[in-house]
């Protein structure tokens, strides 16, 4: 037989960006431990709708850990108690029968709450728009193997590129710093020849945008690295520091 | 180079370089302090001669005259920027804290509390400067008299700094304060040392673990060294 648990939820509810928020408590019975965390929230919303109450607003899209939309701070940790997974990949088997689960939005001045558990993460888009790309001319597609890239570099660039922009790093950081995100974006392009060309301009533009948007200064606590669902390494931050400083010293 | 210091990473570079400079100073300082214990071991005729010679050397050396203001500037930069950065970080974090707390594992205690540790170090520093520096530099009068000690092969005359240190370390609360200051310093450096290399941009997955290990060794040598010297003075001299 399928195993189920009964849980109590303490969920942050907030009607709009300017409104005062509060916690509301919901009881939910017979949750299959095989269901995902977001499926459990779907059950909560179904229950609320049946009671003619407003459902809880939360972000999600792919529900398979690749889009970076889901974003919940669950029982003291971004993306919940499991390691290296997004909220959508979190299973209810990680919780105990009778447990109280507290669900909050990301807390950071640069990520204001839009509604309930949804925060505005457009700050990340603005940082990407400031320089997180390569400029290429249109034309014939060159053969992928025409530029030789050492395997080590290719692998490391791929690791950095796996950042999905979820913002858990900012949510976990006591300084509200976006350095892990920015460093992953700067790194994956800086390590490949096609991205190297614009390396200096990119590092300066993205860091300037990050500062302008009010993210904090990194003190290398490493909380971001622990909570990142994609295991983005702190060494990216050192690389960003070097990229930025050498770009500045060249000016 | 333009507007480097308006950027977060530029400000952090200042923290890092000033911090490393302060560490260098601490090693010189610890070496001199070790004379407090060493002259007994190395067989100077009178206890305190080696330390007095060291103090005389520091007091008369022109190089030290140049470095002293640099050191003050280093402290000033480090402290001013630590406050600026921390205030910015608190703002960036926002006023709302998490009701369910922070359960992220494996985060160094020191890394989360650098300002608090810095303030403990600073309070200690204030007392320390009142105790010794002001007296040795003659800002506060103190009666210890002149003594003779061997100095590079001949004898030299100078103030009896040893007597001052010795008297100070007879007071248990002061010794305890020194230990608290040193322990805070040890924690500050156990994170600060490797963090400063990370800030400068030395990224290397091979060297980072080594630097972290070195941070702990450094923290034990400096924090332990200063505490042991104060305690040994209290107990054995
Ligand atoms: C002899 C005394 C001191 C030494 C050797 C020292 C050394 C260091 C080092 C090496 C760092 C790392 C910099 C980095 O991560 O890039 C650091 C960071 C820091 N220090 Fe100090 N420090 C001292 C005193 C102080 C004092 C008196 C304060 C404050 C009142 C202070 C506050 C801080 C803060 C807040 C940080 C973290 C800043 C950041 O990483 O952004 N320190 N210190
Ligand atoms: S670095 Fe990790 S935690 Fe931060 S946005 Fe990217 S995937 Fe999310
Ligand atoms: S919903 Fe896409 S990563 Fe979670």
């Amino acid at each position: 037989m399928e195993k189920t648990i009964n849980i109590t939820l303490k969920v942050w509810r907030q009607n709009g960006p300017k409104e005062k928020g509060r916690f509301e408590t919901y009881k939910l019975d017979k949750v299959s431990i095989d269901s995902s965390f977001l499926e459990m929230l779907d059950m909560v919303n179904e229950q609320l709708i049946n009671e003619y109450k407003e459902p809880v607003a939360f972000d999600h899209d792919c529900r398979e850990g690749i889009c970076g939309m889901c974003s919940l701070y669950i029982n003291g940790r971004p993306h919940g108690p499991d390691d290296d997974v997004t909220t959508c990949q979190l299973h209810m088997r990680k919780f105990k029968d009778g447990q109280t689960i507290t669900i909050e939005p990301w807390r950071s001045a640069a990520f204001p709450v839009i509604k309930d558990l949804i925060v505005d993460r457009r700050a990340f888009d603005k940082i990407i728009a400031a320089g997180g790309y390569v400029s290429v001319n249109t034309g014939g597609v060159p053969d992928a193997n025409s530029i030789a890239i050492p395997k080590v570099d290719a692998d490391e660039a791929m690791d950095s590129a796996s950042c999905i922009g979820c913002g858990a790093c900012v949510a976990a950081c006591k300084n509200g710093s976006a350095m892990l995100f920015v460093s992953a974006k700067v790194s994956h392009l800086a390590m490949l020849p096609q991205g190297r060309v614009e390396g200096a301009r990119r590092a300066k533009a993205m860091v300037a945008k990050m500062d302008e948007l009010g993210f904090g200064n990194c003190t290398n606590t490493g909380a971001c690295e622990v909570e990142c669902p994609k295991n983005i390494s702190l060494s990216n931050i050192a690389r960003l520091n070097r990229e930025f400083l050498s770009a500045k010293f060249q000016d | 180079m333009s507007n480097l210091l308006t950027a977060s990473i530029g400000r952090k570079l200042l923290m890092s370089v000033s911090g490393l400079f302060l560490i260098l100073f601490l090693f010189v300082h610890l070496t001199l302090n070790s004379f407090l214990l060493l002259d007994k071991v190395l067989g100077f005729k009178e206890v305190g001669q080696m330390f007095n010679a060291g103090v005389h050397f520091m007091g008369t050396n022109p190089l030290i005259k140049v470095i002293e203001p640099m050191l003050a500037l280093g402290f000033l930069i480090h402290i001013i920027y630590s406050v600026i950065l921390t205030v910015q970080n608190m703002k960036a974090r926002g006023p709302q804290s998490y009701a369910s707390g922070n359960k992220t594992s494996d985060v160094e205690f020191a890394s989360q509390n650098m300002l608090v540790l810095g303030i403990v170090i600073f309070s200690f520093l204030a007392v320390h400067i009142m105790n010794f520096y002001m007296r040795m530099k003659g800002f506060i009068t103190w009666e210890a008299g002149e003594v003779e000690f061997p100095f590079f092969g001949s004898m030299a005359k100078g103030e009896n700094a040893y007597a001052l240190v010795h008297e100070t370390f007879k007071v248990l609360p002061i010794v305890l304060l020194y230990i608290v200051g040193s322990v805070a310093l040890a924690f500050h450096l156990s994170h600060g040392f490797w963090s400063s290399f990370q800030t400068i941009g030395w990224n290397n997955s091979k060297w980072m673990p080594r630097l972290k290990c070195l941070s702990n060794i450094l923290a034990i040598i400096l924090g332990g060294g200063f505490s042991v010297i104060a305690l040994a003075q209290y107990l054995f001299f």
Side-chain angles (χ1 to χ4, degrees), chain A residues 73 76 104 107 109 171 173-175 211 214 216-221 227 234-235 238 241-242 244 248-249 251, chain B residues 1-3 7-8 12 85 88-89 91-93 96 98-101 103-104 111-112 191 195 198-199 201 203:
Chain A
Y73 196 91
E104 297 167 78
R107 299 275 187 215
C173 180
K174 90 178 215 327
N175 305 318
D211 290 346
N217 310 285
C218 173
T219 57
N220 304 318
T221 69
E227 296 301 359
L234 220 54
S235 70
N241 288 334
R242 192 174 59 218
F244 178 83
K248 277 285 185 189
F249 282 120
D251 281 354
Chain B
M1 277 299 286
S2 61
N3 57 36
S8 55
K12 282 243 41 192
L85 288 175
Q88 284 183 333
N89 290 348
K91 249 201 226 138
R93 187 73 197 75
Q96 272 280 356
Y98 290 112
S100 54
K103 301 202 173 58
T104 301
S111 72
Q112 305 260 38
H191 175 70
S195 172
Q198 169 92 359
T199 301
N203 104 294

Side-chain angles (χ1 to χ4, degrees), chain B residues 168-186:
Chain B
T168 311
F169 283 147
K170 269 189 187 155
V171 187
L172 185 62
I174 292 188
V175 174
L176 293 180
L177 181 76
Y178 270 68
I179 293 173
V180 171
S182 305
V183 170
L185 179 71

Side-chain angles (χ1 to χ4, degrees), chain A residues 13 40 43 45 58 73 75 79 112 131 147 151 159 210-211 220-221 237:
Chain A
R13 303 299 307 263
M40 181 277 291
M43 284 174 70
N45 279 345
F58 62 92
Y73 196 91
N75 279 354
H79 294 304
I147 303 174
K151 169 100 169 95
D159 285 346
M210 169 186 90
D211 290 346
N220 304 318
T221 69
I237 295 183

